[in-house]
Every structure is written in structure tokens, then in C-alpha cells.
Amino acid sequence: NFIKEMTIPADLAMWHTVLDACQKWRNLKLGKWAFKNAIQLNEKDDTAYICMSNIYVVLGMQEEANTIEVMKLEKKA
């Protein structure tokens, strides 16, 4: 709610912070939302892909983590 109610738009630093917290607290739903918003700002943002992949890893979702890694590589090409 805090991010939604901010008077200024969230930047990549804000989304990276949310993604990091999602990894720590294992919050997949919020992590997916933060990832979506981060890559909308910069689809080549390595940090967003790494953080989202890490969220999947800590949740034991290796296949999904691999998918994110592939997405990251495709955006670099």
C-alpha cells in the first residue's frame, strides 16, 4: 500500500528493495508484482532478474528460477 500511495513513482531502487525483502520473507506474490514493475522500468535490469530468481530458489522452485535466468539472458541478446 505504501508504494501505491506514494506521491512520486517508484524507481528501480525501490523495486530492488521490495524484491530483496520478498526473498527474505519468502513472499512470492509481492515479489512477482515488484519484478513486473521493475522490468517495466528497465527490461534489461539484471538485479530484478537475479532477485526474482533468488526468490524462486529460496521457495524451492528451481524450474521457475531457471526460467527467469533464461529471460535475463534473452533480454541481453
Side-chain angles (χ1 to χ4, degrees), residues 22-34:
C22 288
Q23 179 182 344
K24 178 179 180 180
W25 298 107
R26 299 173 183 233
N27 188 328
L28 180 59
K29 183 178 178 182
L30 183 58
K32 285 181 175 182
W33 179 67

Side-chain angles (χ1 to χ4, degrees), residues 1-64:
N1 285 336
F2 173 76
I3 294 172
K4 289 178 182 178
E5 294 177 9
M6 289 183 359
T7 57
I8 59 170
D11 61 8
L12 281 176
M14 176 68 74
W15 294 121
H16 293 165
T17 302
V18 173
L19 284 163
D20 187 51
C22 288
Q23 179 182 344
K24 178 179 180 180
W25 298 107
R26 299 173 183 233
N27 188 328
L28 180 59
K29 183 178 178 182
L30 183 58
K32 285 181 175 182
W33 179 67
F35 175 70
K36 178 182 151 214
N37 281 280
I39 61 172
Q40 282 181 344
L41 291 176
N42 180 357
E43 71 177 10
K44 295 183 179 189
D45 176 34
D46 284 345
T47 303
Y49 291 95
I50 292 166
C51 288
M52 191 67 226
S53 177
N54 289 343
I55 291 169
Y56 281 127
V57 168
V58 300
L59 293 171
M61 302 171 74
Q62 190 60 50
E63 187 174 322
E64 290 83 352

